Amino acid sequence: MSVHSLRGFRDLLPADARLFASIEAAARETFALYGYQELRIPTIELKELFVKSTGDTTDIVEKEMYAFTDGGGREVAVRPEGTPGVVRAYIENNLGQTGRNGKYFYIGNMFRAERPQAGRFREFEQIGAEHIGNASPHADAETITMLVRLLEKVGVSGCSVVLNSLGCGECRKTYREVLLAFLRSRAEKLCEPCRGRIERNPLRALDCKLDGPALAETAPKLTLCPACAEHFSRTQELLKISGVKHEVNPSLVRGLDYYTRTVFEVRSSALGSQDAVCGGGRYDDLVKSMGGPAAPAVGWAVGVDRMAMLLQDKTAADNSPEAFVVAASKDAGNKAFELTTALRNFPGGPISADFSSFELSLKSQMRSADKSGASFALIIGEDELKAGTVTIKPLKEKGDQFTVPVADAPSRLKQLLKD
Ligand code: ATP
Ligand code: MG
């Protein structure tokens, strides 16, 4: 058997895992500031959920979903995105009635069978926010402001917010015909898949990875109905109030079916061709169309892998131990083991401690101590064992080693760590 991970799936070794954890911690702090609560949703759902919400003409559902028939003969899929699961949970648990404020966030891995390349994996992490049950532009502006705040807190710089409005079903009805005529007139210039789906979902062609950008430039633009136009201009006004710089780009359409009114992306040129860090927008009809109450909503999802790529400083706080305990013999080993426990349980505040194997040579244990990144080695040799003492040796900073009674070691060490 050859031992390797699947293409597009990767290990996050401790340094990367630390970085991801620090991004998650920054996100959690930001969410708390804005009144968002965590929701943990399943990784696998009925396939139908994604087909009906994300949409059967989207890349995600058409080409990228890991779907299979489970042992019970059910058609299921591994989640490619979080919004459908959140909406299902909202409906199933009657959160519109029982929930606090309709504001939820999730942190989790998503799965899409797309071609792996820089910044594009088959398993990747998203942090997402959904505000369900609020139609007002304040919700749009608040959620975008929170997103920018999160990116700043994480330390992602050089991003720009791009904004557009896709209008409501009414605005789109007329537009659909105009756009369809435009697309039909140049059908032979479209790529194969787009040609196949222009009749089913003409807007999708404008989001095509191949020809979308050029098409969107020349395509007729959507005219918003007065209510949608007002919603959009108020959203922009509110973004100005909260100091969020943004640009309006009428070509931004986003790839999912459920968006209405405000859509947005955060991009960074530093990412190259995979330039989107975050995508989001309003989905006023989704909850109702999935069988729930009329609950207009707005949300976004940011890619943690891409945020990590954008960080200037990729060194998250290391969790190396404060103390590394070393012993010279089997008997000293038992004493050292007891000391390690006493350090971790110190009533004056736990001291993180580690050891390698008390049965190895002193030299080998000292090598492990150096490698551990600990600030101090605590050594119990033969002399120390007899005298009931321990030698404390600084590993990182210059300084003399000294010997103290074992019972005093935790408090002395605590003092040293504070200095
Ligand atoms: P793209 O245009 O790059 O395919 P998308 O529109 O499919 O992005 P969304 O579904 O909006 O992306 O997901 C939101 C964010 O999740 C993206 O902006 C990106 O940061 C991240 N993301 C999406 N797909 C991947 C992937 N395959 N690998 C890593 N991150 C991803
Ligand atoms: Mg994609």
Side-chain angles (χ1 to χ4, degrees):
M1 178 198 164
S2 80
V3 178
H4 62 81
S5 61
L6 290 170
R7 213 163 99 80
F9 293 79
R10 60 177 178 154
D11 301 306
L12 293 179
L13 298 181
D16 280 331
R18 270 203 305 277
L19 191 63
F20 275 52
S22 73
I23 293 174
E24 291 159 11
R28 286 177 189 283
E29 276 182 42
T30 310
F31 287 129
L33 213 53
Y34 287 80
Y36 278 70
Q37 291 176 283
E38 185 174 13
L39 208 59
R40 298 200 183 197
I41 49 171
T43 311
I44 296 180
E45 301 263 9
L46 282 177
K47 180 182 172 187
E48 201 190 1
L49 175 71
F50 303 106
V51 174
K52 288 220 171 119
S53 52
T54 310
D56 58 357
T57 58
T58 60
D59 280 349
I60 294 180
V61 168
E62 226 173 30
K63 300 191 280 198
E64 301 171 356
M65 209 148 65
Y66 285 96
F68 61 96
T69 311
D70 76 359
R74 279 169 295 261
E75 294 286 321
V76 300
V78 190
R79 63 183 182 197
E81 60 146 342
T83 306
V86 171
V87 167
R88 185 210 33 75
Y90 182 87
I91 297 170
E92 192 173 337
N93 299 286
N94 194 22
L95 293 179
Q97 292 296 316
T98 59
R100 185 200 286 172
N101 58 9
K103 292 176 172 183
Y104 300 100
F105 76 88
Y106 59 85
I107 298 179
N109 288 10
M110 304 298 156
F111 303 80
R112 297 183 194 176
E114 45 187 334
R115 197 168 70 80
Q117 49 198 292
R120 194 175 289 289
F121 306 96
R122 290 183 168 170
E123 177 176 15
F124 58 96
E125 184 177 327
Q126 280 188 342
I127 297 177
E130 315 288 356
H131 187 171
I132 307 178
N134 190 328
S136 116
H138 295 106
D140 304 53
E142 184 190 51
T143 205
I144 296 171
T145 306
M146 176 172 73
L147 167 64
V148 169
R149 175 108 181 210
L150 186 155
L151 292 168
E152 278 167 5
K153 185 156 182 68
V154 167
V156 178
S157 51
C159 287
S160 55
V161 178
V162 188
L163 202 66
N164 191 22
S165 174
L166 298 179
C168 61
E170 281 307 302
C171 327
R172 284 236 281 275
K173 221 181 268 166
T174 3
Y175 180 60
R176 191 179 186 278
E177 296 311 313
V178 179
L179 184 61
L180 205 53
F182 168 82
L183 291 170
R184 278 185 190 136
S185 75
R186 51 184 60 217
E188 64 288 12
K189 293 207 185 88
L190 301 179
C191 70
E192 191 66 40
C194 282
R195 220 175 303 154
R197 63 192 167 200
I198 53 174
E199 302 291 329
R200 287 191 291 156
N201 187 354
L203 208 57
R204 276 285 301 121
L206 302 184
D207 193 52
C208 170
K209 286 259 151 39
L210 287 174
D211 312 314
L215 262 184
E217 292 278 312
T218 48
K221 301 284 179 286
L222 172 79
T223 311
L224 297 175
C225 71
C228 287
E230 198 204 333
H231 193 279
F232 192 38
S233 71
R234 285 182 66 204
T235 299
Q236 291 175 68
E237 193 186 314
L238 293 164
L239 282 175
K240 226 179 189 165
I241 290 177
S242 51
V244 171
K245 285 199 201 75
H246 62 272
E247 59 178 276
V248 173
N249 183 344
S251 305
L252 177 71
V253 291
R254 304 275 307 132
L256 315 182
D257 272 9
Y258 49 64
Y259 286 120
T260 51
R261 292 194 162 172
T262 318
V263 286
F264 51 91
E265 262 178 23
V266 175
R267 296 174 183 161
S268 165
S269 54
L271 281 174
S273 52
Q274 263 58 257
D275 69 348
V277 190
C278 181
R282 190 162 261 295
Y283 48 97
D284 286 344
D285 307 324
L286 181 62
V287 180
K288 185 141 197 257
S289 76
M290 297 302 289
V298 60
W300 48 257
V302 60
V304 180
D305 305 76
R306 289 190 197 166
M307 275 200 277
M309 285 168 74
L310 282 173
L311 290 186
Q312 302 281 326
D313 178 8
K314 295 201 199 313
T315 49
D318 200 346
N319 55 351
S320 47
E322 292 164 305
F324 197 95
V325 185
V326 170
S329 67
K330 203 168 158 193
D331 288 345
N334 283 1
K335 199 75 207 157
F337 190 75
E338 195 185 328
L339 173 62
T340 312
T341 309
L343 291 168
R344 292 174 181 152
N345 293 345
F346 182 49
I351 297 169
S352 59
D354 199 10
F355 59 90
S356 57
S357 163
F358 298 129
E359 273 144 49
L360 291 171
S361 72
L362 213 57
K363 202 166 153 198
S364 146
Q365 291 183 56
M366 284 309 293
R367 261 202 308 273
S368 299
D370 283 326
K371 221 160 91 177
S372 75
S375 305
F376 294 93
L378 272 63
I379 308 159
I380 302 186
E382 292 304 337
D383 293 345
E384 286 91 344
L385 183 64
K386 271 186 218 135
T389 57
V390 52
T391 296
I392 300 182
K393 180 180 185 327
L395 294 175
K396 281 188 175 158
E397 280 154 31
K398 286 214 169 65
D400 293 331
Q401 61 181 52
F402 58 97
T403 301
V404 296
V406 177
D408 297 345
S411 59
R412 284 297 292 275
L413 197 61
K414 194 80 197 171
Q415 197 51 50
L416 285 170
L417 289 164
K418 273 191 203 141
D419 292 343

